[in-house]
């Protein structure tokens, strides 16, 4: 089932109300924003505007296309520009956003899909599965500590492989790339990689060494280093 060509939803800018602001782990938060009629495709982004153009940052919409609100999962970077400001926002306040944008949308829903995430890079995976629960999707999630296995309860009943570099019961002890070295991937899968750029390079090398074609890989880079 190849995604039908359609005109992309138009990007617009507005003040979205914060419906809920939850801390999910010592450094990760989830913002639920008013959707205000936004049309978007699973895997697309919104931009949260800071006090100046240089403070604008991208966030994947972690909600499904039919959900009532826009969820965003973010890591608080204490030395960062926008996230310390964002973390101080309370429910009922507003954030200025622009949406939707981005092209990290599913290319072929009939194929087996392998989603490989580091840290907050799990956000688009949630958006895909909430929108298309019937997907044949295997999920590999690499984090430093188990409390960052965001949305793990939503992956119950699916092939889901948590990889925790600090170790955790029921999880692979190590990085997601270490796990992938011996994992038996379907040869006709599409691979969606999201999170640390550094992980992409390792995945690309190990997948191409196994004969996976580069055009079966799709990436969304949030940050460079494998810090999680
Ligand atoms: C296409 C795209 C989509 C993105 N979607 C998300 C998302 O859904 N959730 C999210 O948390 N971030 C996401 N990001 C990263 C986000 O845009 C910001 O860069 C991040 O929130 C830090 O912003 P900041 O201004 O506080 O820190 P900055 O001053 O911009 O960054 C400081 C440093 O923090 C590191 N960093 C940035 N993001 C992360 C992260 N998520 N985890 C660990 N280290 C990080 C980087 O090394 C960066 O150099 C996305 C980035 C891109 C390009």
């Amino acid at each position: 089932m190849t995604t039908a060509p359609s005109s992309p939803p138009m990007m617009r800018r507005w003040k979205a109300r914060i419906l809920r602001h939850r801390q999910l782990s010592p450094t990760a938060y989830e913002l639920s924003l008013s959707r205000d009629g936004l049309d978007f495709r699973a895997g697309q982004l919104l931009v949260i505007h800071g006090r100046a153009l240089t403070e604008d940052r991208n966030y994947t919409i972690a909600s499904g296309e039919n959900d009532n609100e826009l969820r965003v999962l973010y890591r608080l970077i204490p030395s960062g520009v926008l996230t310390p400001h964002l973390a101080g926002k309370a429910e009922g306040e507003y954030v200025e956003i622009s949406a939707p944008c981005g092209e990290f949308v599913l290319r072929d829903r009939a194929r087996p899909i392998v989603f490989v995430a580091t840290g907050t890079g799990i956000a688009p995976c949630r958006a895909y599965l909430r929108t298309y629960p019937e997907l044949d999707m295997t999920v590999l999630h690499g984090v430093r500590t188990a409390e960052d296995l965001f949305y793990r309860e939503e992956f119950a009943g699916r092939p889901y492989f948590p990889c925790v570099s600090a170790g955790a019961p029921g999880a692979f002890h190590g990085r997601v790339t270490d796990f992938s070295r011996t994992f038996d991937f379907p040869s006709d899968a599409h691979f969606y990689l999201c999170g640390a750029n550094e992980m992409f390079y390792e995945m690309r090398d190990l997948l191409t060494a196994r004969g996976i074609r580069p055009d079966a890989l799709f990436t969304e880079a949030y940050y460079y280093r494998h810090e999680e």
Side-chain angles (χ1 to χ4, degrees), residues 27-223:
T27 57
Y29 295 77
E30 182 188 65
L31 261 184
S32 300
L33 303 173
S34 56
R35 180 162 175 166
D36 300 321
L38 180 76
D39 186 19
F40 68 94
R41 291 173 64 192
Q44 286 197 296
L45 312 167
L46 54 80
V47 178
I48 299 186
H49 296 286
R51 291 156 294 193
L53 208 59
T54 50
E55 297 188 4
D56 293 353
R57 298 287 182 270
N58 296 319
Y59 297 92
T60 302
I61 301 169
S63 309
E65 291 176 13
N66 302 314
D67 289 343
N68 292 329
E69 58 189 32
L70 302 174
R71 281 202 202 182
V72 159
L73 170 66
Y74 73 93
R75 174 85 59 205
L76 168 63
I77 310 289
S79 59
V81 173
L82 184 75
T83 53
H85 170 66
L86 211 50
K89 290 270 185 187
E91 289 173 13
E93 290 189 63
Y94 290 80
V95 283
E96 186 144 15
I97 67 175
S98 293
C101 54
E103 293 295 325
F104 195 56
V105 295
L106 292 172
R107 305 318 201 267
D108 184 350
R109 303 201 299 271
R111 289 243 201 170
I113 294 171
V114 178
F115 193 99
V116 185
T118 58
T120 51
I122 198 72
C125 180
R126 181 176 191 268
Y128 298 148
L129 288 173
R130 284 190 67 79
T131 307
Y132 306 110
E134 72 287 357
L135 287 175
D136 173 4
M137 184 180 277
T138 300
V139 182
L140 277 55
H141 191 191
V143 295
R144 186 178 293 171
T145 59
E147 51 216 340
D148 280 347
L149 291 171
F150 315 115
Y151 308 124
R152 81 178 295 173
E153 64 291 347
E154 299 189 24
F155 304 122
R158 295 187 177 278
Y160 168 67
F161 300 93
C163 304
V164 180
S165 49
F172 173 78
H173 187 169
R175 290 165 47 160
V176 70
T177 44
D178 300 328
F179 177 81
S180 299
R181 277 178 219 293
T182 52
F183 190 74
D184 192 14
F185 294 114
S187 57
D188 57 341
H190 271 173
F191 292 79
Y192 289 76
L193 314 178
C194 188
N197 223 330
E198 213 181 29
M199 175 270 281
F200 305 166
Y201 302 134
E202 279 189 56
M203 287 300 298
R204 182 198 56 202
D205 291 349
L206 72 88
L207 291 172
T208 49
R210 289 213 229 158
I212 306 284
R213 289 164 50 104
D215 62 7
L217 308 187
F218 306 96
T219 60
E220 184 83 300
Y222 284 5
Y223 51 100

